[in-house]
Amino acid sequence: MANKSPQIPSIAELMDKIKSGKIFSDIAKEITESQVWTSTFRHGYADTPRNRVLQIASNVWLHLHPVKIQRHALRIKFTWCMGGITFLLFLSTVVTGVILMFYYRPVGEYAYYDMKYLQYDVPFGMLMRNMHRWAAHAMVITVWLHMFRVFLTGSYKPPREFNWVIGVLLVTFTLLLSFTGYLLPWDQLAMWAVTVGTNMARATPFLGNEGPFAEYVGATPRYDVRALLIGGSLVGPPALLRFYVLHCIFIPLVAGALMIVHFWRIRKDGGISGPL
Amino acid sequence: MAQAAVAKKKVEGTQDKLHVWPYLVRLEFLCAILTIVALTVWSIVIDAPLEEAANPTKTPNPSKAPWYFLGLQDILVYFDPWFAGVVAPVLIIVGLMLIPYLDVNPKGNGYYTYHERKVAIWVYCFGFLVLWIALIIMGVFLRGPGWNLFMPWQYWDPHKVVALVNVDLPYAFGVRTYNGAMLFGGVVILGYFAVGTAIYFFMERKALKSVGFLRMFLKIELLLIMVGIVIKIVLRLGFNIKYVWVTPWFNI
Ligand code: HEM
């Protein structure tokens, strides 16, 4: 008994440690005092109020947050976490989208076969394509849910009116992002969905060739807003190129800029809304 | 004394702030992990669709827009494209943007409540859940060839014949001349908006001073348009009315 090694505790001692939860701090201590740990991280993190503030304030990514927030803003029941998840899904489409761009050419002759190539020959190509597409669809749903919760909590009321307006622009651009991407696989589904969608532009009052009052403006099938949008009178290779540029450059830039304003305004408007 | 205690508690409640690190950051981290895991599993299990190569000479029947636009595509049954495809989306976007400026009810700012803003909640839920979501679900699952309605257990028969017995509203009321019909339709549509607006302003006349004319006017016109869409759907489905107002330039 007397020469029991200090490293090996008895079963009873171990049970006591597990029951009291002390086992966790013991394991943590074991890890943070190991040679690997101490050689990697030069000093420890003391959990003081000052350090908690610094973690946020002196980190370029985290300082998007305020250093303190109200207790209720943390509740998932209140925000449904939907704004944050929308943003995360947007970032996922950016990452997977850039990878897809390495393999995809927005040219009538190539586009469809590049999709096939991505699916069958590129390592993880199918996974990247799936993640890109499903994240885009999911983003449409989460942005609607986010908007729904913002409405239900009345968070568009003063002083947040303008951020709601930015939000409406964001939901519009989210749909446009999804819609322009829909054409890029250049398959039957893509071509005809976009044909149905862009045919609507034909009926624009004054500016579409079949719209009310078009005859007074002189709009024709080859010279109206729809032709401007798809670069011709039907959805063909010029439309593919236009949608590609809109999808990969123009709309993400605009949406990204709007998100920056959106997040900035959340903080300027006093953080997440709450009962006054 | 008891009241003071309650008041004090409330103040404390609102000033009760927590550090973002670690409380919010760890929650965001957890949410992010769950989302990414869900997305990855979903992407491993289900493949994105890729049909045969685009072929401009082969029109599929039905041709459907992306699912999130199917509510609008469904409105095409009841309205001409200039309204369903252009004016309606613009009105939706502008109308949504105007919400904070039209809803001047100061209550219910920053917390869930139904009782303090019943009308607002009803209008939004009706627009979102019925006119947007329900129409999308119908468009995805129940619209088949020729944009005809099929129940989930029915075969999508591309040759399904649906009798076209629709007539215009003036015709149904016995107006047979073109100009007469145009006049009749115009009176009905403009009358609907005029009477609706007048009734609203009369009922809410006390609010006019505090809310302002422009606000009240925009609010009631947008509401009348939304209700009008529903009326048109009912007229078509229940009474086989095609147009209410036919003019040389546009039909409603
Ligand atoms: C790409 C789309 C969007 C992103 C990434 C986004 C992101 C966010 C995030 C992260 C928040 C913090 C609170 C939360 O998560 O609920 C937030 C709040 C807010 N969002 Fe969005 N949002 C988007 C679209 C919208 C839309 C469509 C609307 C409304 C039309 C909107 C209106 C607001 C408002 C008013 C707040 C403040 C809420 C409050 O103080 O309680 N946002 N947004």
Coordinates of all heavy atoms in Angstrom, one line a residue, chain A residues 72-73 78-88 90 139 143-144 146-151 153-157 160-172 174 255 259 262-263 266 269-274, chain B residues 28 96 110 124, ligand 1:
Chain A
H72 N -30.7 38.2 -24.0 CA -31.7 37.5 -24.8 C -31.2 37.3 -26.3 O -31.8 36.5 -27.0 CB -33.0 38.4 -24.8 CG -32.9 39.6 -25.7 ND1 -32.4 40.8 -25.2 CD2 -33.2 39.7 -27.0 CE1 -32.5 41.6 -26.2 NE2 -32.9 41.0 -27.3
A73 N -30.3 38.2 -26.7 CA -29.8 38.1 -28.1 C -29.1 36.7 -28.4 O -28.9 36.4 -29.5 CB -28.9 39.2 -28.5
F78 N -34.9 33.3 -30.0 CA -35.2 34.6 -30.4 C -34.8 34.9 -31.9 O -35.5 35.3 -32.7 CB -34.5 35.7 -29.5 CG -34.9 37.1 -29.9 CD1 -36.1 37.6 -29.5 CD2 -34.0 37.9 -30.6 CE1 -36.5 38.9 -29.8 CE2 -34.4 39.2 -31.0 CZ -35.6 39.7 -30.6
T79 N -33.5 34.5 -32.2 CA -33.0 34.8 -33.6 C -33.2 33.7 -34.6 O -33.0 33.8 -35.8 CB -31.6 35.2 -33.6 OG1 -30.8 34.1 -33.2 CG2 -31.3 36.4 -32.7
W80 N -33.4 32.5 -34.1 CA -33.5 31.3 -34.9 C -32.1 31.0 -35.6 O -32.0 30.1 -36.4 CB -34.5 31.3 -36.0 CG -35.9 31.6 -35.5 CD1 -36.3 31.7 -34.2 CD2 -37.1 31.7 -36.3 NE1 -37.7 32.0 -34.2 CE2 -38.2 32.0 -35.5 CE3 -37.3 31.7 -37.7 CZ2 -39.5 32.2 -35.9 CZ3 -38.6 31.9 -38.1 CH2 -39.7 32.2 -37.3
C81 N -31.1 31.9 -35.3 CA -29.8 31.7 -35.9 C -29.8 31.9 -37.4 O -28.8 31.5 -38.0 CB -29.2 30.4 -35.5 SG -27.6 30.5 -34.8
M82 N -30.9 32.4 -37.9 CA -31.0 32.3 -39.4 C -30.2 33.3 -40.2 O -29.7 33.0 -41.2 CB -32.5 32.5 -39.8 CG -33.3 31.2 -39.6 SD -32.5 29.9 -40.6 CE -32.9 28.4 -39.7
G83 N -30.0 34.5 -39.6 CA -29.1 35.4 -40.3 C -27.7 34.9 -40.4 O -27.1 34.9 -41.5
G84 N -27.2 34.4 -39.3 CA -25.8 33.8 -39.3 C -25.7 32.6 -40.2 O -24.7 32.5 -41.0
I85 N -26.7 31.7 -40.2 CA -26.6 30.6 -41.1 C -26.7 31.0 -42.6 O -25.9 30.5 -43.4 CB -27.7 29.6 -40.7 CG1 -27.4 29.0 -39.4 CG2 -27.8 28.5 -41.8 CD1 -28.4 27.9 -38.9
T86 N -27.5 32.0 -42.9 CA -27.5 32.5 -44.2 C -26.2 33.0 -44.7 O -25.7 32.7 -45.8 CB -28.5 33.7 -44.3 OG1 -29.8 33.3 -43.8 CG2 -28.7 34.1 -45.8
F87 N -25.5 33.7 -43.8 CA -24.2 34.2 -44.1 C -23.2 33.1 -44.3 O -22.4 33.0 -45.3 CB -23.7 35.2 -43.0 CG -22.4 35.8 -43.3 CD1 -22.2 36.5 -44.5 CD2 -21.4 35.8 -42.4 CE1 -21.0 37.1 -44.8 CE2 -20.1 36.4 -42.6 CZ -19.9 37.1 -43.8
L88 N -23.3 32.1 -43.4 CA -22.4 30.9 -43.6 C -22.6 30.2 -44.9 O -21.7 29.8 -45.6 CB -22.6 30.0 -42.4 CG -21.7 28.7 -42.4 CD1 -20.3 29.1 -42.1 CD2 -22.2 27.7 -41.4
F90 N -23.8 31.5 -47.6 CA -23.2 32.3 -48.6 C -21.7 32.1 -48.8 O -21.2 31.9 -49.9 CB -23.5 33.8 -48.3 CG -22.9 34.8 -49.3 CD1 -23.4 34.9 -50.6 CD2 -21.8 35.5 -49.0 CE1 -22.8 35.8 -51.5 CE2 -21.2 36.4 -49.9 CZ -21.7 36.5 -51.1
M139 N -29.8 28.5 -48.8 CA -29.7 29.9 -48.5 C -31.0 30.7 -48.8 O -31.4 31.6 -48.1 CB -28.5 30.5 -49.3 CG -28.3 32.0 -48.9 SD -26.9 32.6 -49.9 CE -27.1 34.3 -49.6
V143 N -32.9 32.5 -45.8 CA -33.1 34.0 -45.8 C -34.5 34.3 -45.7 O -34.9 35.3 -45.0 CB -32.4 34.6 -47.1 CG1 -33.2 34.4 -48.3 CG2 -32.2 36.1 -46.9
W144 N -35.4 33.5 -46.2 CA -36.9 33.7 -46.0 C -37.2 33.6 -44.5 O -38.0 34.4 -44.0 CB -37.7 32.8 -46.8 CG -37.7 33.0 -48.3 CD1 -37.1 34.1 -48.9 CD2 -38.2 32.2 -49.4 NE1 -37.3 34.0 -50.3 CE2 -37.9 32.8 -50.6 CE3 -38.8 30.9 -49.4 CZ2 -38.2 32.3 -51.8 CZ3 -39.2 30.4 -50.6 CH2 -38.9 31.1 -51.8
H146 N -35.2 34.0 -42.0 CA -34.6 35.1 -41.3 C -35.5 36.3 -41.4 O -35.8 37.0 -40.4 CB -33.3 35.4 -41.9 CG -32.6 36.6 -41.4 ND1 -32.3 36.9 -40.1 CD2 -32.1 37.7 -42.0 CE1 -31.7 38.0 -39.9 NE2 -31.6 38.6 -41.1
M147 N -36.0 36.6 -42.6 CA -36.9 37.7 -42.8 C -38.2 37.5 -42.0 O -38.7 38.5 -41.4 CB -37.2 37.7 -44.3 CG -37.8 38.9 -44.8 SD -37.7 38.9 -46.5 CE -38.9 40.1 -46.9
F148 N -38.7 36.3 -42.0 CA -39.9 36.0 -41.2 C -39.7 36.3 -39.7 O -40.6 36.9 -39.1 CB -40.3 34.5 -41.5 CG -41.7 34.1 -41.1 CD1 -42.7 35.0 -41.2 CD2 -42.0 32.9 -40.5 CE1 -44.0 34.7 -40.9 CE2 -43.2 32.5 -40.2 CZ -44.3 33.4 -40.3
R149 N -38.6 35.8 -39.2 CA -38.4 36.1 -37.8 C -38.2 37.6 -37.5 O -38.7 38.1 -36.5 CB -37.3 35.2 -37.2 CG -35.9 35.8 -36.9 CD -35.8 36.6 -35.7 NE -34.5 37.3 -35.8 CZ -34.1 38.4 -35.4 NH1 -35.0 39.2 -34.7 NH2 -32.9 38.9 -35.6
V150 N -37.5 38.3 -38.4 CA -37.3 39.7 -38.2 C -38.7 40.4 -38.2 O -38.9 41.3 -37.4 CB -36.4 40.3 -39.3 CG1 -36.4 41.8 -39.2 CG2 -35.0 39.8 -39.1
F151 N -39.6 39.9 -39.1 CA -40.9 40.5 -39.0 C -41.6 40.2 -37.7 O -42.2 41.0 -37.1 CB -41.8 40.0 -40.2 CG -43.1 40.7 -40.3 CD1 -43.2 41.9 -41.0 CD2 -44.2 40.2 -39.6 CE1 -44.4 42.6 -41.0 CE2 -45.4 40.9 -39.6 CZ -45.5 42.1 -40.3
T153 N -40.6 39.5 -34.8 CA -40.1 40.2 -33.6 C -40.2 41.7 -33.8 O -39.8 42.5 -32.9 CB -38.6 39.9 -33.3 OG1 -37.9 40.1 -34.4 CG2 -38.5 38.4 -32.9
G154 N -40.8 42.2 -34.9 CA -41.0 43.6 -35.1 C -39.6 44.3 -35.2 O -39.6 45.5 -34.9
S155 N -38.6 43.6 -35.6 CA -37.3 44.2 -35.5 C -37.0 45.2 -36.7 O -35.9 45.8 -36.7 CB -36.2 43.1 -35.6 OG -36.4 42.2 -34.6
Y156 N -38.0 45.4 -37.5 CA -37.8 46.5 -38.6 C -38.3 47.8 -38.1 O -38.2 48.8 -38.8 CB -38.7 46.1 -39.8 CG -40.1 45.9 -39.5 CD1 -41.0 47.0 -39.5 CD2 -40.6 44.6 -39.3 CE1 -42.3 46.8 -39.2 CE2 -42.0 44.4 -39.0 CZ -42.8 45.5 -38.9 OH -44.1 45.4 -38.6
K157 N -38.8 47.9 -36.9 CA -39.3 49.1 -36.3 C -38.1 50.0 -35.9 O -37.0 49.6 -35.8 CB -40.2 48.9 -35.2 CG -41.4 48.0 -35.7 CD -42.5 47.9 -34.7 CE -43.7 47.1 -35.4 NZ -44.9 47.2 -34.6
R160 N -34.5 50.5 -36.8 CA -33.9 49.5 -37.7 C -34.6 49.5 -39.1 O -34.5 48.6 -39.9 CB -34.0 48.1 -37.2 CG -33.1 48.0 -35.9 CD -33.1 46.6 -35.3 NE -32.2 46.6 -34.1 CZ -32.6 47.1 -33.0 NH1 -33.8 47.5 -32.8 NH2 -31.7 47.1 -31.9
E161 N -35.4 50.6 -39.4 CA -36.1 50.6 -40.7 C -35.2 50.4 -41.9 O -35.4 49.6 -42.8 CB -36.8 51.9 -40.9 CG -37.8 52.4 -39.8 CD -37.1 53.4 -39.0 OE1 -36.0 53.1 -38.5 OE2 -37.7 54.5 -38.7
F162 N -34.1 51.1 -41.9 CA -33.2 51.1 -43.0 C -32.5 49.7 -43.2 O -32.3 49.3 -44.3 CB -32.1 52.2 -43.0 CG -31.3 52.3 -44.2 CD1 -31.8 52.7 -45.4 CD2 -30.0 51.8 -44.2 CE1 -31.1 52.8 -46.6 CE2 -29.2 51.9 -45.4 CZ -29.8 52.3 -46.5
N163 N -32.2 49.1 -42.1 CA -31.6 47.8 -42.2 C -32.6 46.7 -42.8 O -32.2 45.8 -43.5 CB -31.1 47.3 -40.9 CG -29.7 46.6 -41.1 OD1 -29.1 46.6 -42.1 ND2 -29.3 45.9 -40.0
W164 N -33.9 46.9 -42.6 CA -34.9 46.1 -43.2 C -34.8 46.4 -44.7 O -34.9 45.4 -45.5 CB -36.3 46.4 -42.6 CG -37.4 45.8 -43.4 CD1 -38.1 46.3 -44.4 CD2 -38.0 44.5 -43.1 NE1 -39.0 45.4 -44.9 CE2 -39.0 44.3 -44.1 CE3 -37.8 43.5 -42.2 CZ2 -39.8 43.2 -44.1 CZ3 -38.6 42.3 -42.2 CH2 -39.6 42.2 -43.2
V165 N -34.7 47.6 -45.1 CA -34.7 47.9 -46.6 C -33.5 47.2 -47.2 O -33.6 46.6 -48.3 CB -34.6 49.4 -46.8 CG1 -34.4 49.8 -48.3 CG2 -35.9 50.1 -46.3
I166 N -32.3 47.3 -46.5 CA -31.1 46.6 -47.0 C -31.4 45.1 -47.1 O -31.0 44.5 -48.1 CB -29.9 46.8 -46.1 CG1 -29.5 48.3 -46.0 CG2 -28.7 46.0 -46.4 CD1 -28.8 48.8 -47.2
G167 N -32.1 44.6 -46.1 CA -32.5 43.2 -46.1 C -33.3 42.8 -47.3 O -33.1 41.8 -47.9
V168 N -34.3 43.6 -47.7 CA -35.1 43.3 -48.8 C -34.3 43.3 -50.1 O -34.4 42.4 -50.9 CB -36.3 44.3 -49.0 CG1 -37.1 44.1 -50.2 CG2 -37.2 44.3 -47.8
L169 N -33.3 44.2 -50.2 CA -32.4 44.1 -51.3 C -31.6 42.8 -51.3 O -31.4 42.2 -52.3 CB -31.4 45.3 -51.3 CG -32.0 46.7 -51.6 CD1 -31.0 47.8 -51.5 CD2 -32.6 46.7 -53.0
L170 N -31.2 42.4 -50.1 CA -30.4 41.2 -49.9 C -31.2 40.0 -50.4 O -30.7 39.1 -51.0 CB -30.0 41.0 -48.5 CG -28.6 41.7 -48.2 CD1 -28.4 41.6 -46.7 CD2 -27.5 41.0 -48.9
V171 N -32.5 39.9 -50.0 CA -33.3 38.7 -50.4 C -33.5 38.7 -51.9 O -33.4 37.7 -52.5 CB -34.7 38.7 -49.6 CG1 -35.7 39.7 -50.1 CG2 -35.2 37.3 -49.7
T172 N -33.6 39.9 -52.5 CA -33.8 40.0 -53.9 C -32.5 39.5 -54.6 O -32.5 38.7 -55.6 CB -34.0 41.5 -54.4 OG1 -35.1 42.0 -53.6 CG2 -34.4 41.5 -55.8
T174 N -30.3 37.5 -53.4 CA -30.1 36.1 -53.1 C -30.8 35.3 -54.2 O -30.3 34.4 -54.8 CB -30.6 35.7 -51.7 OG1 -29.9 36.5 -50.8 CG2 -30.4 34.3 -51.4
A255 N -24.0 41.8 -53.5 CA -24.6 41.2 -52.3 C -23.6 41.3 -51.2 O -24.0 41.6 -50.0 CB -25.0 39.7 -52.6
M259 N -24.1 43.1 -47.6 CA -24.0 42.4 -46.3 C -23.1 43.2 -45.4 O -23.4 43.3 -44.2 CB -23.4 41.0 -46.5 CG -24.4 40.0 -47.0 SD -23.7 38.4 -47.2 CE -24.7 37.8 -48.6
H262 N -25.2 45.8 -44.0 CA -26.2 45.1 -43.1 C -25.6 44.9 -41.7 O -26.2 45.3 -40.7 CB -26.6 43.8 -43.8 CG -27.9 43.2 -43.2 ND1 -29.1 43.8 -43.2 CD2 -28.1 42.0 -42.6 CE1 -30.0 43.0 -42.7 NE2 -29.4 41.9 -42.3
F263 N -24.4 44.3 -41.7 CA -23.8 44.0 -40.4 C -23.4 45.3 -39.7 O -23.6 45.4 -38.5 CB -22.6 43.1 -40.6 CG -22.9 41.8 -41.3 CD1 -21.9 41.1 -42.0 CD2 -24.1 41.2 -41.1 CE1 -22.2 39.9 -42.6 CE2 -24.4 40.0 -41.7 CZ -23.5 39.3 -42.5
I266 N -26.5 46.7 -38.1 CA -26.9 46.0 -36.9 C -26.3 46.6 -35.7 O -26.9 46.9 -34.7 CB -26.6 44.5 -37.0 CG1 -27.4 43.8 -38.1 CG2 -27.0 43.8 -35.7 CD1 -27.0 42.4 -38.3
D269 N -27.3 50.3 -35.0 CA -28.7 50.4 -34.6 C -28.8 49.9 -33.1 O -30.0 49.7 -32.7 CB -29.6 49.7 -35.5 CG -29.7 50.3 -36.9 OD1 -29.4 51.5 -37.0 OD2 -30.1 49.7 -37.8
G270 N -27.7 49.6 -32.5 CA -27.8 49.2 -31.1 C -27.8 47.7 -30.9 O -28.3 47.2 -29.9
G271 N -27.3 46.9 -31.9 CA -27.3 45.5 -31.7 C -28.6 44.8 -32.0 O -29.6 45.5 -32.4
I272 N -28.7 43.5 -31.7 CA -30.0 42.8 -31.9 C -31.1 43.5 -31.1 O -30.9 43.9 -30.0 CB -29.8 41.3 -31.4 CG1 -28.6 40.7 -32.1 CG2 -31.1 40.6 -31.6 CD1 -28.8 40.5 -33.6
S273 N -32.2 43.6 -31.8 CA -33.3 44.3 -31.1 C -33.8 43.5 -29.9 O -33.5 42.3 -29.7 CB -34.5 44.4 -32.1 OG -34.9 43.1 -32.5
G274 N -34.5 44.2 -29.0 CA -35.0 43.5 -27.8 C -36.1 44.4 -27.2 O -36.2 45.6 -27.6
Chain B
E28 N -22.0 30.4 -32.1 CA -21.9 30.6 -33.5 C -21.0 29.4 -34.1 O -21.4 28.8 -35.1 CB -21.2 31.9 -33.9 CG -22.0 33.1 -33.7 CD -21.3 34.4 -33.9 OE1 -20.0 34.4 -34.0 OE2 -22.0 35.4 -34.1
L96 N -42.5 45.4 -49.6 CA -41.7 44.9 -48.4 C -40.8 46.0 -47.9 O -40.7 46.2 -46.7 CB -40.8 43.7 -48.8 CG -41.5 42.4 -49.0 CD1 -40.6 41.3 -49.6 CD2 -42.1 41.9 -47.6
G110 N -39.1 44.4 -31.1 CA -38.0 43.6 -30.6 C -38.4 42.5 -29.7 O -37.6 42.0 -28.9
Y124 N -48.9 39.8 -43.0 CA -47.6 39.2 -43.5 C -47.7 37.7 -43.6 O -47.2 37.1 -44.6 CB -46.5 39.5 -42.4 CG -45.1 39.2 -43.0 CD1 -44.4 40.2 -43.7 CD2 -44.5 38.0 -42.8 CE1 -43.1 39.9 -44.2 CE2 -43.2 37.7 -43.3 CZ -42.6 38.7 -44.0 OH -41.3 38.4 -44.5
Ligands
HEM1 C1 -28.1 37.5 -47.4 C2 -29.0 37.7 -46.6 C3 -28.9 38.1 -45.2 C4 -27.8 37.9 -44.3 C5 -26.5 37.2 -44.5 C6 -28.3 38.5 -43.0 C7 -27.6 38.4 -41.8 C8 -28.0 38.9 -40.6 C9 -27.4 38.6 -39.3 C10 -26.2 37.7 -39.1 C11 -28.2 39.2 -38.4 C12 -28.0 39.1 -36.9 C13 -29.2 38.6 -36.2 C14 -29.7 37.3 -36.7 O1 -29.0 36.4 -37.0 O2 -31.0 37.1 -36.7 C15 -29.2 40.0 -39.1 C16 -30.1 40.8 -38.5 C17 -31.1 41.5 -39.2 N1 -31.5 41.3 -40.5 FE1 -30.5 40.2 -41.8 N2 -29.5 39.1 -43.2 C18 -29.9 38.9 -44.5 C19 -31.1 39.2 -45.0 C20 -32.0 40.0 -44.4 C21 -33.4 40.2 -44.9 C22 -33.9 39.7 -46.2 C23 -34.0 41.1 -44.0 C24 -35.4 41.7 -44.1 C25 -36.0 42.0 -45.1 C26 -33.0 41.4 -43.0 C27 -33.3 42.2 -41.9 C28 -32.5 42.2 -40.7 C29 -32.8 43.0 -39.6 C30 -33.9 44.1 -39.5 C31 -31.9 42.6 -38.6 C32 -31.8 43.2 -37.2 C33 -32.6 42.2 -36.3 C34 -32.7 42.6 -34.9 O3 -32.1 43.6 -34.5 O4 -33.3 41.8 -34.2 N3 -31.9 40.7 -43.2 N4 -29.1 39.8 -40.4

